[in-house]
Amino acid sequence: MKSTIRDVAKMAGVSISTVSRVMNSPNSVIESKRERVLEAVEQLKYQPNAFARGLIYKKSFTLGLLIPDIENLYYAGVIRGVQDACIKLGYSLMICNTDRDKDRLLSYIDTFHEKQVDGVVLASDILYPEYYDKLVGCRIPFVLVSSHSDEYDIPSVEIDDEAAAYDAVKFLIELGHKEIGMIGFNHDNSIAGPPRYEGFIRALTEFGLERNIEKIKYANHRYEHAYQATHELFTDFPDLTAVFCVADEFAMGTISYLKDRNILVPGQVSVVGFDNLRMASMFIPKLTTIAQPIYELGYRGAEKLHELITTGSVELRREKMEHKLIVRESSREK
Amino acid sequence: MKSTIRDVAKMAGVSISTVSRVMNSPNSVIESKRERVLEAVEQLKYQPNAFARGLIYKKSFTLGLLIPDIENLYYAGVIRGVQDACIKLGYSLMICNTDRDKDRLLSYIDTFHEKQVDGVVLASDILYPEYYDKLVGCRIPFVLVSSHSDEYDIPSVEIDDEAAAYDAVKFLIELGHKEIGMIGFNHDNSIAGPPRYEGFIRALTEFGLERNIEKIKYANHRYEHAYQATHELFTDFPDLTAVFCVADEFAMGTISYLKDRNILVPGQVSVVGFDNLRMASMFIPKLTTIAQPIYELGYRGAEKLHELITTGSVELRREKMEHKLIVRESSREK
DNA sequence: CTGAAAGCGCTAACAC
DNA sequence: GTGTTAGCGCTTTCAG
């Protein structure tokens, strides 16, 4: 059996309240006893039982994190951010990978409810009414990372996707490209899809390149889909000299396709990605991309959640962080 | 406030034991009451409090998972495996990323102890005596995934690293390569380093290519180090026509270096990786590599842990899973 | 400064 | 079948 407060009390020859006191406010116990207690704690490797504590405090000091796809490098960064913030704040973290499955996410919320997590951060996913209702029904505070909600008033941290996409496309235009395509996220199951699309359109429009507006194919988060979408894109529009990919993973798929077709990148076609994953600089060619402060997004999200939990509200409802264009090898002047 | 068993009992007009019964063995309660209870549960969104339950059962139905580097795709796969197994087994999972920091790992064990996890899986890390002592001191059962221990008798699941490395090198030799180098893991902080080194040596020896035995440089888990190590390797041995990399991430670093030096892969140098990460087939060129059953390793590890927790021991102490050579584009006949 | 005792929410005997 | 009750391990009044 694991040792309990009673074991410690007995070994130190004091009452359990005294043991409790040295664990929580050591100064309220006279030194001689305190030392005996500490000694016993050490000997017995005593750790207060979190269940018993949770029952009293009605807090688990645990946060939940919901992510759509753990095999996507993007989330590795946010996880690290959230986890580091948790360490700083004295929380544990329960990370759950939903594989983009609604039911699975919903059932994780049940788990969170049962385990009494103090709050959850929902990363990069649309806040569907089912999610909202359930979370609110369970009275679990939550925040959105790399996402936001227009419908509900929920704290969120993300970048300005529209502006970032605009910057990427503008960069391509200023490089002299006139025939520009895009591999985007499906609008109906992604939160970043619409704003990045808008940014693409705005840049095109501002520079009088409206003819490109329809040169878009959509993919579904993974490399393979982007590969296929690129095939469709170039079948329909073989004269493209640049493509804006709304994710680095898409950019890799696009470049792979082009490579298989013996089309040089950046020689014949320039490609710009989005996210600046760790892979972006490992890929050949190294990806020109929009850098998101991924780690910071996660870190900030956890801080915001903590603020929400402890004060009941947050200062900045919808927070935006800075993005940055990183020019590497996959793009070139036309 | 979240609703408790008492709220439900009151609303349904029964005693709390009846509520408890419908939650745990529904059939022991007469239908009419059961329905009223279920109705109340629904209405109040009642979830039994895991703290209270844990206090009684002395089980948290939670497992801990310790991984060295969440930004390494390898772990994404094992996490998914472990997590899926946990869902099947009715456990929650607490994933902790140690960033290869000993103290951090140790402090996660404290957290696990406090939260009373029922067991932990330690992935891909050497079982240092400090880890062992602490885990055993806290009486937490644990298993090793992609690792093993000669010193201690701890259940483990992994592949046969020596044989896998041997296969990779043999493949290169049979392709006609005679000048073969290796980028390995440092032996002092990696569990797979020594056996993969042994496999390399055995293949070389068996085929009379002992002259290559010293053509090894070591790197430290990440791409950048492998890039640097490759630089050193080719500086010392410019005539190499093949290199065996003990990780796909290393293979990417090696290929990147070669590319920067205008050395063609596989035209002039063949490269074989190890792991078969998702990236292996996205990279250009697609990586020839040793496939590990990563997901299954995680899944099996969790099952083994469950076996250990529930029965007190495991059938197969040190389990090996199958590896497989996958030939893609980064290798070619000499 | 310290001990006794109540009680957090739940389960599991134990009566009825 | 169902209600009553005694804890599980801990914190926190409340006395002293």
Side-chain angles (χ1 to χ4, degrees):
Chain A
M1 266 327 302
K2 278 163 185 159
S3 35
T4 75
I5 198 170
R6 246 169 272 276
D7 302 325
V8 179
K10 197 176 299 172
M11 177 179 279
V14 299
S15 76
I16 61 166
S17 344
T18 300
V19 177
S20 177
R21 286 194 190 93
V22 338
M23 299 306 289
N24 297 296
S25 53
N27 299 326
S28 67
V29 174
I30 205 163
E31 179 159 356
S32 63
K33 294 199 179 187
R34 184 176 39 200
E35 299 212 323
R36 263 157 47 214
V37 169
L38 256 13
E39 170 114 348
V41 165
E42 178 70 17
Q43 289 248 338
L44 297 165
K45 287 193 193 304
Y46 169 71
Q47 264 288 338
N49 182 320
F51 296 144
R53 279 187 139 156
L55 215 40
I56 294 162
Y57 293 137
K58 294 174 190 331
K59 288 203 57 177
S60 58
F61 294 99
T62 299
L63 264 27
L65 170 58
L66 259 4
I67 54 164
D69 176 9
I70 201 163
E71 294 200 277
N72 184 319
L73 249 350
Y74 184 83
Y75 301 110
V78 347
I79 290 174
R80 284 190 61 234
V82 172
Q83 197 154 49
D84 285 358
C86 281
I87 290 178
K88 189 195 67 179
L89 298 167
Y91 280 82
S92 301
L93 181 63
M94 201 138 214
I95 302 162
C96 296
N97 173 46
T98 67
D99 274 343
R100 301 187 195 280
D101 178 331
K102 250 179 168 170
D103 290 334
R104 192 152 167 172
L105 190 148
L106 259 5
S107 103
Y108 276 133
I109 296 179
D110 280 332
T111 305
F112 286 161
H113 185 194
E114 186 203 338
K115 306 273 192 211
Q116 318 271 310
V117 303
D118 299 333
V120 352
V121 358
L122 179 56
S124 311
D125 209 345
I126 297 177
L127 180 57
Y128 291 105
E130 298 98 295
Y131 301 171
Y132 178 86
D133 292 342
K134 184 147 208 165
L135 254 358
V136 168
C138 298
R139 265 155 253 173
I140 302 177
F142 65 103
V143 302
L144 270 13
V145 164
S146 295
S147 178
H148 67 266
S149 172
D150 292 321
E151 255 179 282
Y152 307 107
D153 185 29
I154 298 297
S156 58
V157 207
E158 59 183 338
I159 61 160
D160 185 334
D161 283 295
E162 196 275 346
Y166 171 87
D167 289 349
V169 178
K170 180 178 172 215
F171 167 73
L172 251 11
I173 294 172
E174 290 178 342
L175 241 30
H177 293 282
K178 302 222 177 313
E179 306 303 319
I180 305 175
M182 163 171 155
I183 304 292
F185 286 130
N186 287 320
H187 287 202
D188 53 344
N189 69 354
S190 81
I191 190 78
R196 294 188 195 172
Y197 168 83
E198 297 297 344
F200 177 70
I201 300 299
R202 177 159 68 91
L204 256 24
T205 309
E206 262 183 30
F207 289 88
L209 294 170
E210 291 88 344
R211 65 171 177 284
N212 292 312
I213 287 181
E214 58 184 30
K215 298 177 183 168
I216 304 182
K217 298 291 174 188
Y218 297 95
N220 219 342
H221 302 289
R222 306 276 278 219
Y223 167 87
E224 302 78 6
H225 300 134
Y227 185 99
Q228 179 58 27
T230 309
H231 170 63
E232 290 160 19
L233 187 66
F234 278 81
T235 302
D236 289 357
F237 312 104
D239 298 332
L240 258 21
T241 68
V243 7
F244 165 53
C245 294
V246 300
D248 283 347
E249 179 138 357
F250 286 2
M252 298 184 214
T254 295
I255 293 173
S256 258
Y257 171 80
L258 263 12
K259 164 86 181 171
D260 287 350
R261 279 301 170 97
N262 290 312
I263 297 172
L264 299 173
V265 176
Q268 294 163 268
V269 172
S270 285
V271 175
V272 173
F274 202 112
D275 288 343
N276 194 33
L277 303 185
R278 199 161 74 81
M279 278 306 302
S281 55
M282 294 168 56
F283 204 67
I284 301 174
K286 296 187 177 63
L287 265 33
T288 291
T289 190
I290 295 289
Q292 291 201 53
I294 306 179
Y295 175 91
E296 290 75 12
L297 250 8
Y299 198 97
R300 196 68 198 93
E303 288 184 327
K304 240 182 162 56
L305 179 57
H306 181 245
E307 185 186 349
L308 179 62
I309 291 170
T310 51
T311 73
S313 70
V314 302
E315 194 86 8
L316 244 179
R317 228 45 199 172
R318 289 176 58 159
E319 187 169 342
K320 299 272 188 186
M321 299 190 83
E322 297 294 317
H323 62 270
K324 196 170 95 199
L325 177 74
I326 309 238
V327 180
R328 286 197 274 250
E329 305 169 352
S330 65
S331 58
R332 177 183 292 182
E333 289 186 354
K334 181 59 205 159
Chain B
M1 267 325 304
K2 279 164 186 161
S3 33
T4 75
I5 199 171
R6 249 169 268 279
D7 301 325
V8 179
K10 197 177 298 172
M11 179 179 276
V14 298
S15 76
I16 60 166
S17 353
T18 300
V19 177
S20 177
R21 286 194 191 92
V22 338
M23 300 307 288
N24 297 297
S25 53
N27 299 325
S28 66
V29 173
I30 206 164
E31 178 159 357
S32 62
K33 293 200 179 182
R34 184 177 38 199
E35 298 211 324
R36 264 159 43 216
V37 169
L38 256 13
E39 170 113 350
V41 165
E42 178 69 17
Q43 288 248 338
L44 297 165
K45 286 192 194 302
Y46 169 70
Q47 260 297 330
N49 182 320
F51 296 143
R53 282 188 137 158
L55 215 41
I56 294 162
Y57 294 138
K58 295 177 191 327
K59 287 204 55 174
S60 58
F61 293 99
T62 300
L63 264 27
L65 170 59
L66 258 6
I67 54 166
D69 177 9
I70 202 164
E71 294 199 277
N72 183 319
L73 248 347
Y74 184 82
Y75 302 110
V78 347
I79 290 174
R80 284 190 62 236
V82 173
Q83 197 154 50
D84 285 358
C86 281
I87 290 178
K88 188 196 68 177
L89 298 168
Y91 281 81
S92 300
L93 182 63
M94 203 136 213
I95 302 161
C96 297
N97 173 46
T98 67
D99 274 344
R100 301 185 196 281
D101 178 331
K102 249 178 169 169
D103 290 333
R104 191 151 168 174
L105 190 148
L106 258 6
S107 104
Y108 276 133
I109 296 180
D110 281 333
T111 305
F112 287 160
H113 185 194
E114 185 203 337
K115 305 274 193 215
Q116 318 272 306
V117 302
D118 299 331
V120 352
V121 359
L122 179 56
S124 310
D125 210 343
I126 296 177
L127 180 57
Y128 291 105
E130 299 98 296
Y131 301 171
Y132 178 86
D133 292 342
K134 185 146 206 166
L135 253 358
V136 168
C138 296
R139 264 155 255 174
I140 301 177
F142 65 105
V143 301
L144 269 14
V145 163
S146 295
S147 179
H148 67 265
S149 172
D150 292 321
E151 256 180 285
Y152 307 107
D153 184 31
I154 298 297
S156 57
V157 206
E158 60 184 337
I159 61 161
D160 185 335
D161 283 295
E162 196 274 348
Y166 171 85
D167 289 349
V169 179
K170 181 178 172 213
F171 167 74
L172 250 12
I173 294 172
E174 290 179 341
L175 242 29
H177 292 282
K178 303 224 178 309
E179 306 303 319
I180 305 175
M182 163 170 155
I183 304 291
F185 286 130
N186 287 321
H187 288 202
D188 53 344
N189 68 356
S190 81
I191 188 80
R196 294 189 194 171
Y197 167 83
E198 298 297 343
F200 177 71
I201 300 300
R202 178 158 68 93
L204 255 25
T205 310
E206 262 182 30
F207 289 88
L209 294 171
E210 290 87 345
R211 66 168 176 286
N212 293 310
I213 287 181
E214 57 183 27
K215 298 176 183 165
I216 303 183
K217 298 291 174 187
Y218 297 95
N220 219 340
H221 301 289
R222 305 277 279 219
Y223 167 88
E224 302 79 4
H225 300 133
Y227 186 100
Q228 179 57 28
T230 309
H231 170 64
E232 290 160 19
L233 186 66
F234 277 81
T235 302
D236 290 357
F237 313 102
D239 298 331
L240 259 20
T241 68
V243 7
F244 166 53
C245 296
V246 301
D248 282 348
E249 179 138 357
F250 285 2
M252 299 185 213
T254 295
I255 293 174
S256 257
Y257 172 79
L258 263 13
K259 164 86 182 172
D260 286 351
R261 279 301 170 96
N262 289 314
I263 297 173
L264 298 174
V265 176
Q268 296 164 266
V269 172
S270 284
V271 175
V272 173
F274 202 113
D275 288 343
N276 195 33
L277 303 185
R278 200 161 75 81
M279 278 306 301
S281 55
M282 294 168 55
F283 203 68
I284 299 175
K286 297 187 177 64
L287 265 33
T288 290
T289 190
I290 295 289
Q292 291 202 53
I294 307 180
Y295 174 90
E296 290 76 11
L297 250 7
Y299 198 97
R300 197 68 200 93
E303 288 184 325
K304 240 182 163 57
L305 179 56
H306 181 245
E307 186 188 347
L308 179 62
I309 291 171
T310 52
T311 74
S313 69
V314 301
E315 196 85 9
L316 244 178
R317 228 46 199 175
R318 288 175 61 160
E319 189 169 340
K320 299 271 188 185
M321 298 189 85
E322 297 295 317
H323 63 269
K324 198 170 94 200
L325 176 74
I326 308 239
V327 180
R328 288 200 271 255
E329 305 171 352
S330 65
S331 58
R332 176 182 295 181
E333 288 185 354
K334 179 62 209 159

